[in-house]
Amino acid sequence: MQLAPICLFTYNRLSETKQTVEALQNNFLAKESDLFIFSDGGKNEVSKVKVQEVRAYIKTIVGFNSINIVESIENKGLANSIISGVTQVVNKYEKVIILEDDLITSPNFLNFMNQALDFYKNDAQVQSINGFSLLINSNVNDVYFQTRPFPWGWATWQNRWREELFNKSEIKKEIDLNKELLKNFKKKCGSDISKMLVDSVNGVNDSWYVRWTYNHFINKTISVYPKESLIANIGFGPDGTHCNGINTYKYKLLEKTQTNFRFLKNKSLDKQTEKDFLKYFTYTYKFKARLKYLSTKSGRKTLKDDIMEKLK
């Protein structure tokens, strides 16, 4: 099996980048894998200094079959960095695994991703593979399927990825012409998703992910998930560009020693699994999860106290 190259996207968080790389180095297939690191440029003088610190570090990385570093002079932003970087690599190698600089991988992450890429390579209904997985209560095998993908450690193929998929004006035309699209998109992919898409095409946010999700929905394709997660996200906090809140997602890390996985040709979307999955994207669930976090966090105000203070 020809291993897929890995794309790692970095910005200005040295500590998180080091942890991400060290975990990836500990993957069973790391030494046989080619690593492409895309380093985005700083937005201002403060971030430029931090970017240089990250760049000094990534030049010292070892432990992979080859390491290629692409440094951007300008600040492209995460969306443009991922769209252009993934396109560049996948067009040459026909498949690719993608990570950002705040994701801790299990040692068998590359095993799962490469095996899944190989198993579903000729199955056009499968558009992407995920390394992260939410905690699902229903009984599933080694994998399950959903329309909505996840952006924390994922993979795809050249014939299922094109830059044109992310064209905001084209997506805006589609949803303006068919008002039912957003309703069905929300029903299939989560309560939070339709507003996220509208904000994206109108320039309120710059999410590549919501446009990728929309493409899964509009093409009636699916994404593969491991039963238990191979990824932990360490990016939540004040320094997180896109994850500066509270992580409300529940997950269970997979047994680290498992290196062979059983994939399914029958790709039916189980109703109970879908219900378990989509609950994480409801506003009610997120509100309750934040309330529980803030009310139990030592030294933190409760959400009620925070709201009352703002109302004064």
Side-chain angles (χ1 to χ4, degrees):
M1 178 174 58
Q2 184 70 35
L3 298 183
I6 307 159
C7 284
L8 172 61
F9 292 88
T10 71
Y11 183 42
N12 66 353
R13 294 184 291 174
L14 179 59
S15 175
E16 288 85 349
T17 300
K18 283 183 175 180
Q19 293 177 71
T20 297
V21 171
E22 287 167 5
L24 193 58
Q25 287 170 324
N26 287 328
N27 264 251
F28 300 127
L29 297 178
K31 292 180 180 179
E32 303 165 51
S33 300
D34 296 312
L35 177 63
F36 290 80
I37 305 175
F38 291 87
S39 170
D40 199 12
K43 294 178 182 178
N44 50 47
E45 292 307 312
V46 174
S47 61
K48 286 178 181 177
V49 171
K50 292 184 177 180
V51 166
Q52 289 306 316
E53 292 174 350
V54 171
R55 290 180 176 178
Y57 164 69
I58 61 179
K59 289 180 175 68
T60 69
I61 294 173
V62 295
F64 299 90
N65 183 56
S66 68
I67 300 171
N68 303 272
I69 299 173
V70 180
E71 298 179 353
S72 174
I73 298 174
E74 62 180 354
N75 178 259
K76 292 182 176 181
L78 182 61
N80 288 332
S81 293
I82 286 183
I83 293 168
S84 62
V86 170
T87 301
Q88 177 183 328
V89 175
V90 80
N91 282 349
K92 181 176 181 180
Y93 295 93
E94 299 185 350
K95 56 184 176 180
V96 64
I97 297 168
I98 300 94
L99 288 167
E100 294 174 32
D101 60 359
D102 54 6
L103 302 174
I104 302 300
T105 54
S106 178
N108 46 10
F109 166 75
L110 293 178
N111 295 77
F112 178 86
M113 302 302 278
N114 278 287
Q115 288 172 35
L117 283 168
D118 189 58
F119 188 88
Y120 294 109
K121 65 181 178 182
N122 297 318
D123 190 338
Q125 188 186 1
V126 176
Q127 187 161 342
S128 60
I129 313 294
N130 298 283
F132 178 78
S133 182
L134 292 160
L135 183 61
I136 302 297
N137 294 323
S138 54
N139 293 322
V140 296
N141 296 291
D142 279 7
V143 297
Y144 64 94
F145 309 93
Q146 291 294 306
T147 300
R148 179 171 179 159
F150 217 90
W152 298 352
W154 56 281
T156 192
W157 302 262
Q158 180 188 23
N159 60 1
R160 282 153 255 191
W161 171 278
R162 301 187 311 280
E163 280 189 291
E164 306 89 80
L165 305 182
F166 301 91
N167 188 302
K168 294 181 182 180
S169 60
E170 289 301 316
I171 296 174
K172 190 174 189 306
K173 285 179 186 177
E174 289 179 4
I175 61 178
D176 285 345
L177 287 171
N178 186 350
K179 299 302 181 183
E180 292 299 311
L181 272 180
L182 285 179
K183 292 180 182 178
N184 294 331
F185 187 38
K186 180 178 179 179
K187 182 178 179 181
K188 197 68 179 173
C189 295
S191 299
D192 61 341
I193 202 75
S194 57
K195 183 182 185 303
M196 199 189 306
L197 181 65
V198 171
D199 286 349
S200 179
V201 298
N202 288 325
V204 178
N205 70 50
D206 193 32
S207 172
W208 65 271
Y209 163 66
V210 72
R211 287 174 273 163
W212 181 233
T213 302
Y214 174 75
N215 190 255
H216 284 63
F217 163 74
I218 206 72
N219 287 335
K220 294 182 172 60
T221 53
I222 57 177
S223 197
V224 179
Y225 284 85
K227 178 182 179 180
E228 296 173 340
S229 188
L230 300 153
I231 293 281
N233 189 314
I234 58 169
F236 286 85
D239 295 329
T241 304
H242 298 276
C243 295
N244 56 4
I246 298 167
N247 185 359
T248 60
Y249 299 123
K250 294 181 181 179
Y251 61 93
K252 178 183 177 182
L253 287 175
L254 186 68
E255 171 59 48
K256 295 180 179 180
T257 57
Q258 182 179 352
T259 56
N260 291 303
F261 300 89
R262 185 165 65 92
F263 300 98
L264 304 175
K265 291 184 178 180
N266 177 12
K267 302 176 296 299
S268 60
L269 274 65
D270 177 73
K271 291 297 182 182
Q272 185 58 51
T273 301
E274 186 175 51
K275 182 179 179 181
D276 290 345
F277 180 87
L278 291 178
K279 75 174 183 183
Y280 288 99
F281 307 104
T282 63
Y283 292 110
T284 300
Y285 170 82
K286 290 184 177 182
F287 178 81
K288 288 181 177 179
R290 289 187 176 99
L291 180 62
K292 182 178 180 181
Y293 174 86
L294 291 172
S295 63
T296 58
K297 186 72 173 176
S298 176
R300 295 286 297 271
K301 295 177 295 184
T302 66
L303 185 58
K304 180 181 177 181
D305 291 335
D306 190 45
I307 292 171
M308 293 303 295
E309 183 174 316
K310 285 181 170 61
L311 291 175
K312 287 179 180 179

